[in-house]
Amino acid sequence: MDFLKLVLQLLIPGLCLGCVYGLNGIGSALLYKGSHTINNAQGAIVGLGALIGYSIQQGLKIGLIASTAIVVVITFFIGVFLQVFIISRVERRSSMYVVIATLALSLIISSISMLTFGSWTFESATIIIHGSKYLHINFVNVDILWSNIIAIIISFIAMISIHLFLNRTSFGMAMRSAAMDSFAAESCGVSVVKTRAVTWGIMAALGALGGCLMGPLFGISAGIGIAMGNKGNTGAVLGGYGNMYGAIIGGLIIGMVETIFGYIYSPYQSAFTYALFLVFLLLLPKGIMNEKAIEEG
Amino acid sequence: MEHYLEVKNLHYYYGQIHAVKGIDLYLDEGEIVTLIGSNGAGKSTTLNTIAGLTRSVGVKGEILFNNKNIAKKSGNKICKLGIMAVVEGRHIFSQLSVEENLYMGAYSRKDKRNVKKDIDEVYELFPRLLERRNQMGGTLSGGEQQMLAIARALVNKPKIILLDEPSLGLAPIIVEHIFEIIKEINTKMGTTILLVEQNSKIALKVSSRGYVIQNGEIVISGTSEELLNNDKGRHAYLGIANKEE
Ligand SMILES: Nc1ncnc2c1ncn2[C@@H]1O[C@H](COP(=O)(O)OP(=O)(O)OP(=O)(O)O)[C@@H](O)[C@H]1O
Ligand SMILES: [Mg+2]
């Protein structure tokens, strides 16, 4: 019974972290697939999103889920805005410019967040059901945070929605086509300017969604997103760069591994996780879903 | 006289490189017209510029479609106007199935209800694609990919198709098949076609008129018959055709 208890105590937070990394990884995978580049500003956008979420909770006196929904919409437009006014202009030169430009953006957004909100860690609204923050599971006598459970459920809903959007809707198909061959997509009537902007919107919104959902766990600060952005990217590489499903699986693996290492010896949590990631890359350089192999037929 | 599509004094610059230097050409409704030239002559640049697929800052001059200047419009807008390019080198969507590729061809169509029927019609033209409808685009052979690229354009029901080297890298027998279909598209569907080719002989056989482009300029133009018999013309472009014969 104790073992089962331990498993549950690790599994749920691990899964929760993994989901959030997965949400961040989806964005990196879509971006890499479409533009062969990396968004270094993802973490900063996630942090900003979480802080906006906190302000909304305070200002409008609304709960976690409602405030998160608003943040998702706001960050979607922040993503679109950044792509249209900055990224699309530097992207023309080379994808390397985007790497550097987003690094600059990351520092700028982080500084603005810091100046506006200070360097405090705020307490996020959390999920309370039946008057308790915890779900008590009787037969193993374990308490699990409702906010963790809800975070996992919402993340899965978001992932399934993105999957359906990309595969079942006309604009989603256009986005996938443009990511495969922007030239051909444009010739078929797809506005690649639009699909790229929406890719950034989705990337920012999914990341911020993850950031908000993590609020009850870590508290909200400008720096909350940095690790999420990085680990989302790492998960995406682990999964096979450019493949969205690989990014989700990769994110889940990183979240689980990190949680287990944290339990074993927390000071080396991140070092162990990244070391394992490197070993994995050496053994399986193309990642789990081996995107290139699919591309090359 | 007014033409269906008229290109007037068109220039294209890739930065400093002046690739197209003041081209004039026109298409009348229902015609097949060939643009011939050797490697690097500026054929693809011309075609892509008409289709709005080159960067608009590099474009100078006029492209009139139904007497409206469409130069510098983006590619997706030109597609929506009914001018569809089949660009050089089989740009198909490698990780979409053949059928999904065809559906993408109809992306800008308003009458989505009729798309299924039109895809079935296109399958009749290319039975090979029907056999492979669920296969990923990237796993098709070169010839099949070329057929798919043309088929995808047809599903759009365009008024004008711009075809860039449909014969590139294909076996002679497949080239012949493709040109038969090009002719059929023109006669049955009434589609106006601009054909870019190095394989000038077969292209001139299906077209009514042609232009020869050299170093970004039109050097000769005339009916296909004239071009086939023109000594100067043979000199300008048949060098390549001879090799392929
Ligand atoms: N992206 C580009 N950047 C710079 N120069 C280019 C670019 N694309 C083409 N060019 C140049 O423009 C000229 C015309 O090229 P274009 O592709 O239009 O030729 P083409 O007639 O289609 O040749 P081919 O038969 O080989 O396809 C060439 O000199 C080429 O080097
Ligand atoms: Mg060419």
Side-chain angles (χ1 to χ4, degrees):
Chain A
M1 223 27 117
D2 272 358
F3 180 70
L4 194 60
K5 183 173 172 175
L6 180 65
V7 168
L8 267 178
Q9 275 171 339
L10 290 180
L11 184 74
I12 301 296
L15 202 59
C16 185
L17 263 186
C19 281
V20 170
Y21 297 160
L23 287 176
N24 275 282
I26 291 174
S28 359
L30 294 179
L31 180 68
Y32 184 76
K33 184 90 205 270
S35 305
H36 285 272
T37 192
I38 290 175
N39 170 16
N40 282 311
Q42 177 73 357
I45 297 171
V46 170
L48 178 66
L51 285 168
I52 294 174
Y54 173 75
S55 326
I56 294 173
Q57 287 165 17
Q58 295 299 309
L60 301 181
K61 301 274 172 258
I62 54 176
L64 183 67
I65 295 179
S67 63
T68 301
I70 299 175
V71 168
V72 165
V73 175
I74 294 175
T75 47
F76 176 85
F77 287 107
I78 291 178
V80 168
F81 176 87
L82 290 177
Q83 202 282 338
V84 170
F85 290 100
I86 298 169
I87 305 304
S88 66
R89 285 150 207 246
V90 289
E91 194 169 39
R92 283 185 206 135
R93 295 162 198 262
S94 107
S95 52
M96 196 58 205
Y97 280 67
V98 179
V99 175
I100 304 301
T102 53
L103 198 59
L105 270 178
S106 163
L107 296 171
I108 294 167
I109 295 172
S110 294
S111 305
I112 293 175
S113 305
M114 285 279 202
L115 285 174
T116 318
F117 295 92
S119 51
W120 290 282
T121 300
F122 301 100
E123 196 178 323
S124 164
T126 186
I127 306 273
I128 293 172
I129 293 178
H130 297 313
S132 171
K133 280 159 69 171
Y134 297 97
L135 167 70
H136 184 76
I137 300 179
N138 268 327
F139 82 107
V140 279
N141 190 26
V142 73
D143 284 322
I144 295 168
L145 271 174
W146 275 116
S147 57
N148 269 350
I149 297 171
I150 297 295
I152 293 169
I153 294 173
I154 293 181
S155 298
F156 273 106
I157 292 174
M159 289 168 187
I160 293 167
S161 313
I162 283 292
H163 164 79
L164 292 177
F165 168 70
L166 289 174
N167 289 282
R168 295 276 194 284
T169 69
S170 164
F171 193 75
M173 289 292 284
M175 275 182 65
R176 291 175 62 211
S177 306
M180 286 173 217
D181 190 329
S182 57
F183 202 55
E186 187 77 35
S187 80
C188 286
V190 174
S191 167
V192 176
V193 168
K194 250 188 228 163
T195 60
R196 292 214 165 126
V198 171
T199 303
W200 269 74
I202 289 175
M203 178 164 58
L206 288 180
L209 171 65
C212 290
L213 294 177
M214 281 291 102
L217 231 70
F218 299 143
I220 295 174
S221 64
I224 188 179
I226 302 299
M228 291 180 203
N230 287 340
K231 285 173 186 158
N233 250 327
T234 312
V237 173
L238 187 65
Y241 220 0
N243 183 302
M244 177 187 116
Y245 309 99
I248 294 174
I249 294 169
L252 286 172
I253 291 175
I254 296 214
M256 289 306 303
V257 166
E258 191 183 43
T259 308
I260 292 167
F261 279 145
Y263 171 75
I264 298 171
Y265 189 55
S266 65
Y268 279 104
Q269 183 177 26
S270 284
F272 276 149
T273 309
Y274 279 106
L276 192 77
F277 164 71
L278 284 182
V279 170
F280 205 97
L281 265 197
L282 293 175
L283 296 177
L284 222 83
K286 286 176 179 167
I288 299 165
M289 303 291 273
N290 200 349
E291 181 74 5
K292 260 283 164 309
I294 303 171
E295 230 167 69
E296 285 161 8
Chain B
M1 203 184 102
E2 284 168 11
H3 298 293
Y4 198 39
L5 181 87
E6 184 162 15
V7 170
K8 279 185 174 166
N9 195 23
L10 183 72
H11 293 261
Y12 190 80
Y13 298 84
Y14 291 102
Q16 306 284 342
I17 302 169
H18 196 181
V20 171
K21 304 166 185 164
I23 275 187
D24 294 292
L25 59 83
Y26 68 86
L27 296 178
D28 283 327
E29 201 165 354
E31 266 193 314
I32 302 183
V33 172
T34 306
L35 183 61
I36 313 162
S38 55
N39 289 113
K43 305 182 296 295
S44 299
T45 306
T46 303
L47 181 140
N48 291 340
T49 300
I50 296 172
L53 297 170
T54 51
R55 288 192 58 190
S56 60
V57 287
V59 182
K60 282 220 176 70
E62 280 184 311
I63 302 166
L64 302 173
F65 178 52
N66 285 329
N67 283 319
K68 272 203 213 90
N69 191 1
I70 58 164
K72 287 175 184 276
K73 273 194 192 297
S74 61
N76 69 84
K77 298 232 171 74
I78 301 228
C79 170
K80 280 163 197 145
L81 289 175
I83 301 179
M84 185 96 176
V86 178
V87 293
E88 184 177 279
R90 305 175 194 128
H91 284 265
I92 49 132
F93 304 118
S94 58
Q95 282 157 275
L96 295 187
S97 71
V98 166
E99 189 140 314
E100 285 169 327
N101 263 279
L102 293 176
Y103 271 103
M104 279 313 296
Y107 180 72
S108 65
R109 276 179 59 170
K110 296 258 157 25
D111 55 332
K112 296 275 193 250
R113 271 181 303 126
N114 303 326
V115 171
K116 173 104 197 36
K117 181 183 76 44
D118 292 329
I119 287 183
D120 288 339
E121 251 178 64
V122 164
Y123 278 141
E124 270 172 43
L125 276 179
F126 298 99
R128 185 95 70 116
L129 295 180
L130 180 62
E131 285 165 32
R132 301 180 182 272
R133 63 198 291 177
N134 294 319
Q135 201 170 318
M136 286 293 134
T139 64
L140 296 179
S141 77
E144 289 161 351
Q145 291 190 10
Q146 189 60 268
M147 292 178 202
L148 179 55
I150 297 173
R152 188 179 61 194
L154 290 180
V155 175
N156 184 262
K157 293 247 155 174
K159 296 174 183 137
I160 300 179
I161 292 192
L162 312 170
L163 271 173
D164 198 345
E165 300 209 40
S167 73
L168 193 73
L170 301 183
I173 183 149
I174 299 180
V175 172
E176 246 166 65
H177 178 60
I178 291 214
F179 274 90
E180 272 165 27
I181 289 172
I182 290 171
K183 190 82 204 165
E184 203 174 325
I185 292 164
N186 174 254
T187 44
K188 277 203 189 145
M189 306 185 182
T191 314
T192 308
I193 298 175
L194 177 65
L195 193 55
V196 160
E197 263 299 342
Q198 291 201 30
N199 197 338
S200 50
K201 243 189 158 167
I202 187 158
L204 287 172
K205 258 191 239 158
V206 299
S207 61
S208 57
R209 290 184 305 112
Y211 296 88
V212 180
I213 179 172
Q214 217 174 24
N215 286 327
E217 287 172 288
I218 301 283
V219 288
I220 307 166
S221 65
T223 65
S224 298
E225 211 154 303
E226 280 166 9
L227 287 179
L228 276 169
N229 301 322
N230 180 328
D231 272 353
K232 206 166 107 218
R234 295 183 88 87
H235 222 71
Y237 58 85
L238 279 187
I240 308 119
N242 281 339
K243 248 188 269 163
E244 281 178 2
E245 270 172 312

